[in-house]
Amino acid sequence: MKVFETPTEELKRKPAAFTDRITTDGRFGRAAEPGRYRLVINRACPWAHRVVITRRLMGLEGAISLAVTDPVQEIIADDAHWVFTSETGSPGGKDPVLGIHALREAYLARDPDYTGGVSVPALVDVTTGHLATNDFGRLTLDLATEWGGPAREGAPELYPAALRDEIDALCEDIYRDVNNGVYRAGFAPDQARYDAAVTALFARLDALEERLATRRYLVGDTITEADIRLFPTLVRFDSVYHGHFKCNIRKLTEYPALWAYARDLFQTPGFGDTTHFDHIRTHYYYVHTAINPTRVIAAGPDPRGWLTEHHRAELGGAPFGAGTAPGPVPADERVPPLG
């Protein structure tokens, strides 16, 4: 479904079109080689945000370069495209490394007959200009487990083997009811399907509120893949999903444990320092003309609340376990400070 069209049926996400895996030993044909791949994202996109968080936590900024598209998609041949502009660090409207204006060019370099949608995140092979993968579900797992060589010293264990079954089960619930649930509510074609989506969303948020009332993180005593998958939806919730997607039974700020948990993560290196609220609001309110035909961009809420005390350390645990926090954000990747 194109985001500019009025929805006529329930939103259903198609599987990723290109799912090559990049691994330590190259057993699937592509090896985790520093400098070979460029990660293309949009800072408004929650699916891309989770990959950026993982890349930063693992300290892979020097191994995998980053390209940021404009928050407003460009209409080319009656379709919306992720494009590079001077406003996002691409002079002349072309990515300085890949030499392309629209991400679709990397898709077509991989498959000239491709006619499907174009999504971020996308990992592009710099040596060929071909898209390697747009599989957002697998990308974070492989960055966490298959890039150990180039990863920084002190990188956390984000997908520990002993906890994978619990993480996977929880992530499935979070994806269905929360990550994708806000979209199913926002793009619901009728009242019945909106009601079903929004009811499931808030039932899951209620369950997560109860879970997080007595534990600092979702699984175990440290940050894991589960937290990385939940955070991008939570950080966008009051800014866009509550009003723009009609997910307005409660605000995130009305959940004591969830709101404190989200602030705890936001104030942890890798989370808040990869969040760009201006891009988030601009993209959602400007692009989704079926929902917001005037393209008026909401001004709030005031993001400085994300910096208030959360007291979550009192529950124990440590964000990086036996590891350490990542270093400073590279100068060319910094997002605007709050306030």
Side-chain angles (χ1 to χ4, degrees):
M1 181 183 70
K2 296 180 183 178
V3 294
F4 292 95
E5 294 176 345
T6 301
T8 57
E9 58 184 35
E10 186 174 7
L11 175 66
K12 294 181 180 178
R13 294 190 181 275
K14 295 180 180 180
F18 301 96
T19 58
D20 291 12
R21 288 187 60 188
I22 294 93
T23 61
T24 303
D25 56 6
R27 61 190 181 275
F28 298 107
R30 293 184 182 272
E33 301 174 16
R36 180 174 173 179
Y37 302 99
R38 188 158 174 82
L39 177 62
V40 180
I41 66 151
N42 185 269
R43 291 203 180 275
C45 173
W47 319 106
H49 193 178
R50 61 168 69 171
V51 180
V52 176
I53 291 170
T54 305
R55 170 180 172 270
R56 173 142 166 69
L57 294 181
M58 297 301 294
L60 292 170
E61 294 100 325
I64 304 171
S65 63
L66 186 70
V68 180
T69 62
D70 198 277
V72 175
Q73 290 164 295
E74 182 178 321
I75 303 302
I76 303 174
D78 296 324
D79 205 355
H81 288 267
W82 298 111
V83 296
F84 299 100
T85 64
S86 58
E87 286 77 10
T88 54
S90 298
K94 288 191 175 184
D95 179 71
V97 174
L98 300 175
I100 59 177
H101 173 59
L103 176 57
R104 188 173 191 85
E105 295 172 49
Y107 279 66
L108 293 175
R110 167 73 181 268
D111 178 4
D113 297 322
Y114 181 69
T115 59
V118 174
S119 63
V120 288
L123 206 61
V124 179
D125 189 328
V126 174
T127 64
T128 63
H130 294 183
L131 175 72
T133 177
N134 67 335
D135 189 351
F136 66 87
R138 187 72 233 178
L139 261 171
T140 50
L141 300 179
D142 283 345
L143 289 183
T145 61
E146 296 286 348
W147 286 76
R152 67 181 178 87
E153 184 177 353
E157 192 173 6
L158 299 174
Y159 194 48
L163 299 176
R164 287 182 185 179
D165 287 346
E166 184 178 0
I167 291 171
D168 290 347
L170 187 58
C171 285
E172 183 177 348
D173 291 339
I174 289 171
Y175 172 80
R176 181 189 61 245
D177 297 332
V178 182
N179 300 149
N180 203 41
V182 293
Y183 283 87
R184 290 176 55 238
F187 288 102
D190 54 52
Q191 189 69 48
R193 279 174 281 195
Y194 164 78
D195 289 343
V198 82
T199 298
L201 165 63
F202 281 94
R204 183 62 55 195
L205 291 177
D206 291 346
L208 291 170
E209 169 76 8
E210 183 176 356
R211 183 184 186 95
L212 289 165
T214 57
R215 59 172 74 193
R216 188 172 181 185
Y217 303 108
L218 286 172
V219 181
D221 296 323
T222 65
I223 290 168
T224 68
E225 176 76 10
D227 303 294
I228 292 169
R229 295 198 178 199
L230 179 59
F231 175 79
T233 301
L234 296 184
V235 82
R236 288 159 175 75
F237 201 87
D238 287 2
S239 292
V240 290
Y241 300 145
H242 180 271
H244 186 55
F245 279 179
K246 307 180 187 70
C247 299
N248 58 0
I249 292 178
R250 281 177 292 282
K251 294 179 179 178
L252 175 63
T253 55
E254 294 171 358
Y255 281 103
L258 264 175
W259 173 224
Y261 160 82
R263 299 200 315 278
D264 186 7
L265 289 180
F266 187 91
Q267 294 170 34
T268 299
F271 291 84
D273 57 23
T274 58
T275 301
H276 198 317
F277 283 111
D278 288 342
H279 277 206
I280 290 169
R281 288 196 309 272
T282 297
H283 173 74
Y284 280 91
Y285 284 102
Y286 190 90
V287 168
H288 298 155
T289 53
I291 299 173
N292 185 36
T294 64
R295 288 180 164 169
V296 172
I297 300 169
D302 187 340
R304 289 174 294 182
W306 285 94
L307 301 179
T308 58
E309 179 57 57
H310 52 75
H311 303 287
R312 294 287 292 179
E314 297 169 9
L315 294 173
F320 308 109
T324 59
V329 179
D332 60 348
E333 295 184 15
R334 291 173 188 163
V335 298
L338 302 187

